[in-house]
């Protein structure tokens, strides 16, 4: 590398001598033998330089091109030549410098993560210990410590409040109120509510919401903000998200460590890319998508060709890169204000709500929800498709769709007892989407289309399910009387809410069709029936018990009465004993006296 | 377009081709049976363990080259006809299935062919498949008509029976070979263009960075 650097420097010197063709020859030779980006960039710059030289006048050119010998040397003064691409250092010094910076970065990341963890724990402990009225003696030390932390937290919050207010009112700040549609406001409020801890008071929530509304979304997720977070008290508005981004970046760094040199470069490029995206917030969604896709393409090309990675390995790296980048960019590129995604979201949501009356029969869905396993899977599928909105990485969103599809296949398989074909799958998916009405469906689809790694989206299994979801949405948008096998009049009446397909059935069929429409309702009916049965049986039992009790009492009485009667009828007479035991021994006194012990002397 | 590029890259790098093939055809013509027979070698089997037959993959080795085939089933009902383009965009091949006993299903195939040629041009390899030849007695689509039509639109025609497992292996093998030829021809036509485009792309990126740094000293490393 050092040799190449000197070569470049040499090329510059030659360039000074106006030997154009020699320079170009040299440069092209360099490029052929070392297709290294860094060097290429320098070279490209030089080409530009040379082109400029060609067009510019001699004088200005001389002024522009003149480079002092000392400027070419390494800034550290080690005697080697430096390189502009390495901040004027030579390769060796640059590597040292870069390593140190990277180590520092990693340590900071760790420190930040640990700090967040500690804070979280402290908050947890303090919320517990403060609820105790009399902390036991042994815990007093600890609770004191946590209490001081709690206090600290409070003051932090206070200062934050002040800065928030300041930010809110200061005219110079970039947080000038923007027009925010009311739906978005409520949506954001919801988001904020999810993010914030349970301990904060309502007033603070409100302030934070305001801040959330008036801050540019970019500011909340930009990597620069994160670096501020290390110094400032961590604003809890981004706490949860920053914990997530931190976790993702830590995972990313850990993963790249296993790759050594390519890993370092991947990390560097990814960081650089995120920073460069920070300057492009004014671009349209399509242009942003182009940037990200270009980056994916460039990265995978490079991994494949330069580092000679196997395609599986490259795929794995690209997954991680996607996760890292999109977690960071999510807030700024998901449903961007430059696009009309949000309008489409609302339109779709309204449309699905208006179609609430569509039944399984109309769509010819081969699913029998009377079977408990099937209705279970239906619920799971609905949950999965709704959950998609909560994920940040396109691939995770795809995974939700895939999981939803698997549940759908299960319902079909259980109902029809054969593998599901697309003829069965698509109507069922449409039915699930209609029932779930997933939040921000269009935004999610657009986001995945724009920012997912294309190789995954176009060919893999996930891509197939995603395509089906797109089809389902397209179908719902264009759905008309014909596609449900209804007459246009019927369709109109259902859409306007004048009639409901269920009420046309005879009244006897009503509870049945009702239960088919709502499994939970049928469950409730079932439970109610069970309960009333139980109640009846309990009544029977208590009646029986009471009967038994009275019977027992009667029996006791009757027994007592009987005993009494018998006693009365046969009174107990005890005759006096006829004589004493010895009475019959008449001649007692005739017996000789009993023998007496006698003492003999002798 | 990105997919085509990435496919090209994969082919150049690891000598592995990835092809996407869509199955088109009216409901009940036996699309699902066809693909299940091919990938699982099963027909109307009660013991089929696969959860689904709508997306199946098959790995092949053709003349020393690895091929990953992803077969996308599509919903054949008339009301989903308009969704076709979403399914078949970026696909390398299409298998259009009709039922030899059903004249209507053959008409459907003709519609599909027209649509595909209009949307994707000649880049897509078309296979027209007359399924259920085990029901030869009830045939309503004549062999001459079908084969003549296939030739007139630049498609290959096959006769298959998923029930008897006839003609299916040949169908997919032929299709793979044709798709490989198309891919290779495309690669050739791009020729050294492939490397050209990638350097051009890199060049574009550099120019992108240029205005920010504005000095010859600039480069992507300064930010690192």
């Amino acid at each position: 590398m050092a040799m190449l650097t000197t070569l470049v420097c040499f090329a510059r010197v030659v360039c000074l001598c106006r030997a154009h063709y020699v320079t170009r020859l040299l440069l092209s030779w360099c490029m052929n033998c070392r297709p290294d980006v860094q060097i290429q960039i320098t070279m490209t710059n030089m080409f530009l330089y040379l082109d400029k030289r060609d067009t510019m006048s001699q004088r200005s050119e001389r002024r522009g091109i003149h480079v002092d010998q000392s400027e070419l040397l390494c800034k550290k003064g080690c005697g080697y030549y430096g390189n502009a691409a390495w901040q004027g250092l030579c390769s060796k010094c640059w590597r040292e410098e870069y390593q140190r910076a990277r180590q520092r970065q990693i340590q900071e990341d760790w420190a930040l993560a640990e700090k967040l963890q500690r804070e979280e724990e402290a908050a947890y402990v303090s919320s517990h210990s403060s609820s105790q009225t009399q902390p036991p003696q042994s815990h007093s030390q600890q609770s004191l410590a946590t209490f001081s932390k709690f206090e600290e937290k409070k003051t932090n919050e206070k200062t934050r409040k002040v800065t928030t207010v300041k930010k809110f009112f200061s005219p110079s700040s970039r947080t000038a109120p923007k027009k925010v549609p009311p739906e978005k406001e409520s949506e954001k409020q919801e988001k904020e509510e999810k993010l914030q801890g349970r301990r904060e008071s309502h007033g603070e929530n409100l302030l934070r919401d305001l801040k959330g509304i008036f801050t540019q979304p970019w500011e909340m997720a930009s990597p620069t903000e994160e670096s501020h977070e290390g110094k400032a008290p961590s604003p809890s508005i981004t706490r949860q998200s920053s914990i997530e981004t931190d976790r993702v970046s830590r995972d990313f760094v850990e993963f790249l460590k296993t790759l050594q040199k390519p890993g370092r470069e991947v990390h560097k490029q990814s960081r650089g890319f995120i920073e460069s995206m920070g300057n492009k917030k004014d671009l349209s969604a399509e242009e942003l998508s182009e940037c990200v896709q270009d980056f994916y393409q460039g990265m995978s090309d490079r991994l494949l060709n330069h580092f000679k990675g196997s395609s599986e390995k490259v795929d794995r790296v690209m997954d991680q890169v996607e996760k890292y980048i999109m977690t960071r960019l999510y807030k700024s590129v998901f449903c961007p204000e430059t696009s009309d995604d949000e309008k489409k979201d609302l339109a779709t949501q309204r449309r699905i709500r208006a179609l609430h009356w569509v039944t399984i029969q109309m769509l010819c869905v081969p699913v029998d929800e009377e079977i408990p396993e099937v209705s279970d899977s239906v619920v799971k599928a609905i949950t999965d498709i709704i959950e998609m909105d909560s994920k940040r990485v396109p691939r995770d969103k795809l995974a939700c769709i895939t999981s939803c599809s698997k549940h759908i296949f299960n319902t079909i398989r259980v109902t029809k007892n054969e593998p599901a074909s697309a003829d069965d799958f698509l109507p069922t998916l449409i039915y699930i989407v209609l029932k779930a009405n997933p939040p921000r469906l269009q935004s999610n689809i657009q986001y995945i289309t724009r920012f997912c790694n294309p190789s995954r989206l176009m060919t893999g299994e996930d891509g197939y399910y995603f395509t089906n979801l797109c089809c389902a949405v397209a179908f719902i948008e264009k759905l008309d009387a014909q596609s449900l096998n209804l007459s246009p009049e019927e369709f109109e009446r259902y859409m306007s809410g004048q009639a409901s397909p269920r009420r046309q059935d005879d009244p006897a069929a009503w509870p049945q069709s009702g239960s088919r429409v709502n499994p939970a309702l049928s469950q409730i009916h079932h439970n109610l029936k069970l309960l009333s049965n139980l109640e009846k049986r309990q009544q029977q039992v208590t009646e029986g018990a009471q009967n038994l009790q009275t019977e027992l009492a009667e029996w006791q009485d009757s027994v007592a009465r009987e005993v009494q009667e018998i006693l009365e009828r046969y009174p107990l007479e005890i005759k006096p004993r006829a004589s004493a035991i010895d009475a019959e021994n008449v001649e007692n006194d005739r017996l000789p006296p009993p023998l007496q012990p006698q003492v003999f002397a002798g | 377009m990105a997919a085509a590029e990435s496919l090209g890259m994969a082919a150049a790098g690891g000598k592995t081709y990835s092809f996407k093939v869509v199955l088109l055809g009216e409901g009940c013509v036996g699309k699902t049976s066809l693909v299940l027979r091919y990938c699982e070698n099963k027909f109307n089997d009660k013991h089929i363990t696969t959860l689904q037959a709508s997306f199946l993959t098959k790995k092949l080795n053709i003349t020393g080259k690895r091929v990953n085939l992803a077969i996308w089933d599509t919903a054949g009902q008339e009301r989903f006809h308009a969704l076709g383009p979403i399914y078949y965009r970026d696909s390398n091949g299409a298998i259009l299935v009709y039922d030899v006993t059903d004249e209507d299903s053959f008409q459907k195939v003709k519609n599909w062919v027209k649509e595909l040629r209009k949307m994707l041009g000649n880049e897509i390899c078309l296979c027209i498949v007359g399924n259920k030849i085990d029901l030869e007695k009830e045939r309503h689509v004549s062999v001459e008509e079908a084969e003549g039509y296939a030739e007139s639109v630049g498609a290959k025609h096959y006769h298959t029976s998923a029930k008897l497992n006839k003609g299916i292996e040949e169908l997919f093998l032929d299709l793979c070979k044709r798709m490989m030829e198309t891919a290779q021809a495309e690669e050739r036509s791009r020729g050294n263009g492939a490397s050209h485009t990638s350097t051009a792309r890199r060049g574009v990126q550099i120019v992108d960075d240029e205005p920010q740094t504005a000095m010859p000293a600039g480069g992507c490393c300064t930010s690192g």
Side-chain angles (χ1 to χ4, degrees):
Chain A
M1 191 57 88
M3 194 198 79
L4 272 171
T5 317
T6 45
L7 250 172
V8 172
C9 295
F10 172 61
R12 282 191 183 179
V13 176
V14 174
C15 164
L16 283 176
C17 307
R18 298 192 193 180
H20 286 197
Y21 61 98
V22 178
T23 324
R24 283 174 192 241
L25 258 172
L26 242 169
L27 289 175
S28 60
W29 175 78
C30 281
M31 278 174 90
N32 282 337
C33 70
R34 274 303 292 255
D36 193 299
V37 160
Q38 292 161 7
I39 291 173
Q40 270 191 19
I41 287 165
T42 331
M43 306 235 168
T44 319
N45 288 334
M46 291 193 62
F47 271 128
L48 287 174
Y49 224 109
L50 288 168
D51 289 344
K52 254 186 244 162
R53 258 170 63 93
D54 289 341
T55 52
M56 272 152 82
S57 73
Q58 291 288 77
R59 262 169 209 286
S60 62
E61 164 230 315
R62 188 169 286 167
R63 219 187 307 138
I65 206 76
H66 182 73
V67 182
D68 202 57
Q69 177 72 13
S70 61
E71 278 177 46
L72 289 173
L73 286 170
C74 172
K75 291 249 166 72
K76 284 229 165 165
C78 61
Y80 286 97
Y81 280 108
N83 186 342
W86 296 327
Q87 298 179 340
L89 298 173
C90 74
S91 66
K92 225 174 152 193
C93 296
W94 165 249
R95 200 178 300 148
E96 277 169 20
E97 192 73 10
Y98 173 64
Q99 280 291 347
R100 214 173 301 140
R102 192 155 167 274
Q103 277 300 321
R104 215 181 302 131
Q105 177 66 38
I106 290 167
Q107 275 167 4
E108 271 173 16
D109 279 358
W110 273 104
L112 177 59
E114 266 168 16
K115 194 185 158 199
L116 289 171
Q117 174 98 24
R118 267 203 309 278
E119 245 174 57
E120 205 69 17
E121 276 166 14
Y124 178 77
V125 174
S126 69
S127 69
H128 271 241
S129 60
S130 62
S131 67
Q132 290 172 342
T133 44
Q134 275 188 328
Q137 199 62 36
S138 58
H139 286 295
S140 64
Q141 189 75 26
Q142 189 201 354
S143 71
L144 237 148
T146 52
F147 183 67
S148 65
K149 263 186 195 165
F150 186 65
E151 280 287 273
E152 190 182 280
K153 213 174 165 57
K154 250 170 133 180
T155 50
N156 278 355
E157 265 165 13
K158 244 180 247 165
T159 54
R160 188 175 66 240
K161 217 192 294 182
V162 172
T163 53
T164 313
V165 174
K166 262 190 210 155
K167 208 167 183 183
F168 184 26
F169 286 111
S170 70
S172 62
S173 70
R174 275 179 299 160
T175 58
K178 270 190 286 179
K179 253 176 80 181
V180 182
E183 288 84 8
K184 183 140 190 174
E185 211 168 305
S186 62
E187 216 173 75
K188 277 212 167 147
Q189 220 154 331
E190 263 174 42
K191 224 190 293 167
E192 301 305 326
E193 262 159 27
K194 258 189 258 165
L195 285 178
Q196 62 203 222
R198 281 150 271 144
R199 309 177 286 283
E200 280 96 3
S201 71
H202 184 72
E204 277 165 41
N205 291 355
L206 203 77
L207 273 173
R208 199 160 321 114
D209 289 348
L210 283 171
K211 188 189 171 192
I213 291 159
F214 293 116
T215 328
Q216 295 205 349
W218 188 266
E219 290 180 340
M220 290 159 66
S222 65
T224 45
E225 163 130 357
E226 200 191 68
S227 55
H228 290 319
E229 249 175 45
K231 300 159 212 157
S234 83
S236 67
I237 183 166
T238 52
R239 179 185 291 161
Q240 188 136 346
S241 59
S242 69
I243 285 175
E244 197 186 328
T245 33
D246 275 351
R247 190 175 48 75
V248 169
S249 3
R250 221 181 312 135
D251 288 351
F252 187 57
V253 169
E254 281 299 312
F255 172 76
L256 290 179
K257 266 182 197 162
T258 59
L259 298 177
Q260 291 157 358
K261 185 165 177 279
R264 276 201 295 278
E265 189 178 318
V266 167
H267 187 246
K268 191 174 70 188
Q269 287 204 6
S270 302
R271 279 190 77 84
F273 177 70
I274 289 171
E275 267 161 41
S276 75
M277 287 295 281
N279 303 322
K280 292 179 189 163
K281 42 190 148 174
D282 296 329
L283 293 184
S284 76
E286 299 315 318
E287 285 166 317
L288 286 173
S289 160
E290 197 113 312
C291 291
V292 174
Q293 297 293 354
D294 273 353
F295 177 73
Y296 286 154
Q297 184 74 39
M299 179 77 94
S300 62
D301 279 4
R302 196 161 156 65
L303 286 171
L304 268 173
N305 298 331
H306 189 68
F307 292 112
K308 302 280 177 243
S310 67
S311 58
E312 292 90 43
K313 207 166 175 186
V314 170
D315 278 352
R316 253 189 304 135
V317 177
M318 289 312 293
D319 284 349
Q320 293 292 330
V321 169
E322 180 190 321
K323 191 171 164 193
Y324 175 71
I325 288 176
M326 291 324 295
T327 312
R328 301 252 175 153
L329 296 181
Y330 175 77
K331 284 243 169 97
S332 55
V333 299
F334 184 85
C335 187
E337 282 160 43
T338 49
S339 71
D340 56 350
D341 291 353
E342 198 180 323
K343 225 190 287 168
K344 283 191 207 153
D345 280 342
L346 290 169
T348 308
Q349 206 168 347
R350 268 197 291 274
R351 173 82 178 158
I352 293 176
R353 225 177 273 160
L355 289 169
H356 66 94
W357 46 269
V358 175
T359 62
I360 280 189
Q361 289 77 19
M362 291 176 191
L363 286 169
C364 306
V365 177
V367 164
D368 181 5
E369 282 189 296
E370 299 281 314
I371 305 169
E373 195 188 336
V374 172
S375 60
D376 265 13
S377 290
V378 166
V379 171
K380 278 182 198 151
I382 291 174
T383 318
D384 282 335
I385 195 88
I386 290 175
E387 204 190 339
M388 173 179 71
D389 185 50
S390 68
K391 306 284 187 211
R392 286 177 160 214
V393 186
R395 219 162 61 81
D396 292 349
K397 286 184 189 287
L398 279 183
C400 285
I401 300 173
T402 304
S403 161
C404 167
S405 306
K406 296 270 148 101
H407 287 305
I408 290 174
F409 289 135
N410 195 37
T411 65
I412 297 170
R413 193 180 157 70
V414 170
T415 311
K416 288 184 78 177
N417 205 15
E418 62 180 36
S421 67
D423 291 352
D424 302 329
F425 174 60
L426 185 60
T428 317
L429 182 65
I430 292 168
Y431 175 66
I432 295 290
V433 171
L434 280 177
K435 282 193 85 166
N437 200 352
R440 301 195 284 179
L441 189 54
Q442 294 279 6
S443 291
N444 277 301
I445 288 177
Q446 289 298 333
Y447 176 73
I448 294 171
T449 318
R450 284 174 194 148
F451 301 110
C452 195
N453 203 343
S455 61
R456 198 162 288 281
L457 198 56
M458 292 306 171
T459 49
E461 192 173 6
D462 292 342
Y464 178 73
Y465 301 135
F466 178 69
T467 306
N468 271 292
L469 181 67
C470 294
C471 285
V473 174
F475 181 79
I476 288 169
E477 277 172 354
K478 296 203 182 89
L479 188 142
D480 58 10
Q482 208 186 350
S483 46
L484 292 175
N485 294 329
L486 297 170
S487 69
E489 296 82 39
E490 265 181 307
F491 185 79
E492 263 318 299
R493 265 187 295 141
Y494 294 153
M495 278 306 269
S496 59
Q498 284 173 340
S500 163
R502 287 171 213 145
R503 280 190 205 136
Q504 295 195 327
D505 302 339
D506 54 333
W510 158 245
Q512 256 191 357
S513 65
S515 69
R516 204 175 300 138
V517 166
N518 196 340
L521 215 64
S522 74
Q523 191 71 39
I524 286 171
H525 278 302
H526 183 71
N527 287 350
L528 277 177
K529 224 182 277 171
L530 224 78
L531 275 176
S532 62
N533 269 348
L534 274 177
E535 204 183 348
K536 234 181 266 169
R537 279 169 63 186
Q538 203 198 357
Q539 268 176 0
Q540 280 175 0
V541 168
T542 42
E543 266 170 37
Q546 276 169 355
N547 283 346
L548 192 68
Q549 210 174 358
T550 48
E551 260 174 48
L552 268 173
E554 273 171 27
W555 183 72
Q556 210 176 355
D557 284 352
S558 71
V559 167
R561 234 179 293 126
E562 215 169 310
V563 168
Q564 200 60 39
E565 271 172 31
I566 290 168
L567 276 178
E568 276 166 18
R569 212 183 299 158
Y570 308 104
L572 184 64
E573 282 174 33
I574 300 166
K575 291 176 187 166
R577 182 164 294 216
S579 58
I581 296 170
D582 302 343
E584 284 158 41
N585 299 340
V586 194
E587 287 169 280
N588 242 4
D589 49 342
R590 283 193 192 171
L591 286 173
L595 288 173
Q596 293 288 321
Q598 286 180 353
V599 182
F600 294 96
Chain B
M1 41 91 250
E5 268 182 45
S6 69
L7 294 181
M9 288 320 294
K15 289 283 172 215
T16 307
Y17 292 92
S18 293
F19 293 127
K20 169 181 162 183
V21 176
V22 282
L23 270 178
L24 299 166
E26 212 184 0
C28 305
V29 296
K31 284 177 303 194
T32 312
S33 305
L34 202 74
V35 70
L36 264 181
R37 174 60 97 180
Y38 179 61
C39 294
E40 308 269 322
N41 197 17
K42 278 171 181 161
F43 181 79
N44 269 357
D45 198 329
K46 284 275 168 274
H47 305 289
I48 292 177
T49 47
T50 30
L51 190 58
Q52 47 95 7
S54 51
F55 177 85
L56 290 170
T57 53
K58 182 101 176 171
K59 285 196 165 117
L60 297 166
N61 201 328
I62 297 171
T63 59
K65 299 227 168 75
R66 273 177 292 161
V67 177
N68 288 336
L69 207 58
I71 305 169
W72 291 36
D73 194 7
T74 62
Q77 292 97 319
E78 179 56 39
R79 56 174 141 174
F80 299 130
H81 185 94
L83 306 175
I86 308 180
Y87 277 117
Y88 56 65
R89 67 173 169 209
D90 296 320
S91 52
N92 306 83
I95 298 175
L96 302 127
V97 190
Y98 70 91
D99 180 350
V100 291
T101 67
D102 183 358
E103 173 70 37
D104 279 352
S105 67
F106 186 62
Q107 286 304 322
K108 277 277 161 53
V109 164
K110 288 184 178 173
N111 293 344
W112 280 119
V113 169
K114 251 182 250 157
E115 207 179 304
L116 282 167
R117 284 284 180 233
K118 202 173 93 189
M119 307 291 279
L120 298 176
N122 288 323
E123 279 166 37
I124 188 162
C125 299
L126 298 185
C127 294
I128 297 176
V129 177
N131 196 23
K132 304 194 187 177
I133 49 164
D134 46 296
L135 302 172
E136 189 65 47
K137 280 173 282 174
E138 299 162 46
R139 178 187 272 280
H140 279 93
V141 182
S142 77
V143 180
E144 298 78 42
E145 187 196 348
E147 284 180 348
Y149 174 73
E151 205 174 328
S152 72
V153 293
K156 282 260 175 103
H157 188 273
Y158 302 87
H159 277 118
T160 60
S161 163
K163 192 175 176 184
L164 307 175
N165 196 6
K166 261 190 193 161
I168 295 174
E169 284 287 337
E170 293 88 323
L171 156 68
F172 280 97
L173 199 65
D174 261 15
L175 176 61
C176 280
K177 282 181 185 159
R178 279 166 60 204
M179 288 192 295
M180 278 165 75
E181 276 166 25
T182 314
Q184 279 161 355
E186 200 181 324
E187 246 170 71
R188 263 198 304 279
S189 75
R190 267 191 284 158
N192 2 351
S195 58
H196 252 293
T197 49
S198 64
T199 48
R201 186 180 283 280
R202 221 171 273 158
V204 168
Q205 275 181 331
I206 290 161
V207 172
D208 243 2
D209 286 344
E210 207 69 18
Q212 290 167 32
T213 48
M215 288 294 287
C220 69
C221 305
T222 45
S223 58

